[in-house]
Amino acid sequence: MLVGEGPGAEEDLRGEPFVGQAGKLLDNMLAAVGLKRGEGVYIANAVKCRPPHNRTPESGEIDSCLPFLARQIELVQPKLLVALGRPAAQALLNMEVRIGAARGHVFRYRDTPVLITYHPAYLLRNPQDKSKAWEDLCFARRIMGGLPQP
Ligand code: URA
């Protein structure tokens, strides 16, 4: 299960996460490691409404939406959570992280392992970091491979 930040304009219109430019990149990143949304990959957002002017969600907004994300996690029962960017990591781990320092470490949300990587919108602005995100998804695949199957 991948967790993004919150809906943008297109996502708000369509009621689906990651359907804009960042979503296209996310789909391509998933394809590069042999994954596809909807096929064992579930995508959610930390906040459920679009913050005004696409600003980063505030801590109080993340907290307000957390019960919805928590319920999604409870229903999906993912083997692994991947936080895309800082707000998602903050929602899942209840702490501030620096993506550069947190990458490559395994955190926990309740009993579920959590990895942290760059948000696709950041990667659109900073394509030099795409290879790191690719490494992170390879790490995710390796962890999934090592987890007991249901
Ligand atoms: N960015 C996000 O974090 N989530 C979306 O659904 C779209 C863009």
Side-chain angles (χ1 to χ4, degrees):
M1 180 166 170
L2 306 174
V3 180
E5 182 175 312
E10 278 187 72
E11 289 78 15
D12 228 17
L13 273 178
R14 289 181 45 188
E16 255 185 80
F18 283 103
V19 289
Q21 279 303 108
K24 287 195 184 91
L25 175 58
L26 183 58
D27 285 337
N28 289 338
M29 289 163 60
L30 289 172
V33 293
L35 295 172
K36 195 169 177 202
R37 73 163 84 191
E39 296 183 8
V41 177
Y42 185 92
I43 302 179
N45 275 316
V47 297
K48 307 305 185 186
C49 298
R50 181 180 175 219
H53 312 294
N54 274 344
R55 64 157 168 70
T56 303
E58 292 166 3
S59 294
E61 293 164 342
I62 293 173
D63 290 348
S64 296
C65 290
L66 189 57
F68 297 97
L69 178 62
R71 183 69 181 137
Q72 282 178 297
I73 296 170
E74 218 171 85
L75 291 169
V76 172
Q77 298 195 336
K79 294 196 194 86
L80 176 68
L81 285 154
V82 179
L84 304 170
R86 282 166 59 108
Q90 192 185 332
L92 292 172
L93 305 176
N94 194 27
M95 65 183 203
E96 297 273 347
V97 296
R98 277 193 43 244
I99 305 293
R103 294 179 50 243
H105 296 273
V106 182
F107 298 85
R108 299 236 150 225
Y109 169 85
R110 301 189 182 161
D111 288 333
T112 309
V114 178
L115 299 186
I116 298 173
T117 190
Y118 296 105
H119 190 285
Y122 165 87
L123 295 171
L124 288 172
R125 297 190 304 271
N126 300 273
Q128 74 281 2
D129 280 337
K130 279 187 186 173
S131 59
K132 293 184 193 160
W134 183 74
E135 282 171 19
D136 295 341
L137 288 183
C138 291
F139 184 38
R141 290 234 62 158
R142 281 202 303 280
I143 290 186
M144 295 278 295
L147 291 173
Q149 302 300 313

